């Protein structure tokens, strides 16, 4: 069962990356995930009803901007909304607002237990960290080096 959940989550993640890549490069119908320029992808799970998400949104946005300034094009974040609100909470923290019905299923497949959460993957689709939010705030601009040291 665990392998099935991981496989399903991995397929969902590949779909999500593919969707994001096609939105970034609309001139191409397909984008090879391995050819993307970033090293790590953060999936930021949030919702407008989540008071912790609202409290951390601005500081997260500023921290992500500093990380991207220190390490251009190594980290991308996709905001995954777990509600159907059209409020723009969190859109500035990611390049793409994943607002589609599969978001809830993806969060279940990854066993997201609390919000906000950031799951970090490499471009091969492997989970690097399920504690991305904590690590981003702890390590700030050095978080890329931290993730590089995690066996993958």
């Amino acid at each position: 069962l665990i392998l099935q959940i991981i496989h399903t989550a991995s397929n969902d993640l590949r779909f999500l990356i593919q969707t994001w890549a096609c939105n970034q490069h609309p001139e191409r119908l397909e984008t090879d995930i391995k050819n993307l320029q970033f090293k790590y992808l953060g999936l930021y799970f949030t919702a407008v009803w989540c008071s912790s998400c609202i409290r951390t949104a601005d500081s997260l946005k500023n921290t992500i901007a500093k990380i991207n300034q220190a390490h251009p094009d190594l980290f991308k974040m996709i905001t995954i909304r777990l509600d159907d609100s059209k409020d723009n909470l969190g859109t500035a923290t990611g390049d793409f607002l994943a607002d589609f019905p599969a978001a809830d299923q993806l969060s279940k497949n990854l066993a997201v237990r609390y919000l906000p959460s950031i799951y970090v993957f490499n471009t091969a689709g492997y989970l690097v960290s399920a504690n991305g939010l904590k690590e981003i705030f702890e390590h700030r601009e050095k978080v890329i080096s931290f993730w590089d040291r995690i066996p993958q």
Side-chain angles (χ1 to χ4, degrees):
L1 179 63
I2 299 229
L3 290 175
Q4 182 181 4
I5 290 170
I6 291 170
H7 177 72
T8 303
S10 179
N11 285 339
D12 290 346
L13 176 64
R14 284 186 171 78
F15 170 76
L16 186 62
I17 295 172
Q18 195 74 31
T19 302
W20 175 84
C22 289
N23 280 319
Q24 297 299 307
H25 306 284
E27 71 279 2
R28 293 183 273 180
L29 292 177
E30 289 188 26
T31 301
D32 185 2
I33 293 170
K34 293 177 183 172
N35 290 333
L36 296 176
Q37 298 301 309
F38 60 87
K39 190 171 189 177
Y40 296 107
L41 174 71
L43 301 184
Y44 173 50
F45 292 92
T46 186
V48 295
W49 47 260
C50 168
S51 60
S52 296
C53 299
I54 293 166
R55 282 193 308 273
T56 60
D58 286 337
S59 59
L60 180 60
K61 176 184 172 184
N62 293 334
T63 305
I64 295 299
K66 289 177 183 176
I67 291 168
N68 286 330
Q69 186 176 23
H71 305 283
D73 300 323
L74 288 184
F75 179 66
K76 298 292 179 190
M77 185 134 71
I78 297 176
T79 300
I80 300 180
R81 296 287 298 278
L82 298 180
D83 57 56
D84 58 1
S85 170
K86 299 304 177 198
D87 188 313
N88 67 358
L89 170 71
T91 57
T93 59
D95 290 331
F96 174 75
L97 179 63
D99 189 18
F100 55 93
D104 186 53
Q105 189 61 47
L106 177 62
S107 72
K108 289 176 184 171
N109 290 343
L110 291 172
V112 174
R113 289 185 171 83
Y114 57 89
L115 296 179
S117 288
I118 298 176
Y119 283 60
V120 180
F121 294 83
N122 61 24
T123 52
Y126 293 104
L127 180 66
V128 175
S129 175
N131 297 310
L133 185 67
K134 178 182 175 221
E135 293 162 357
I136 285 169
F137 282 131
E138 276 183 15
H139 300 282
R140 302 197 175 266
E141 293 89 346
K142 297 179 182 177
V143 73
I144 301 295
S145 300
F146 176 79
W147 290 329
D148 284 343
R149 290 192 300 269
I150 296 173
Q152 298 175 35

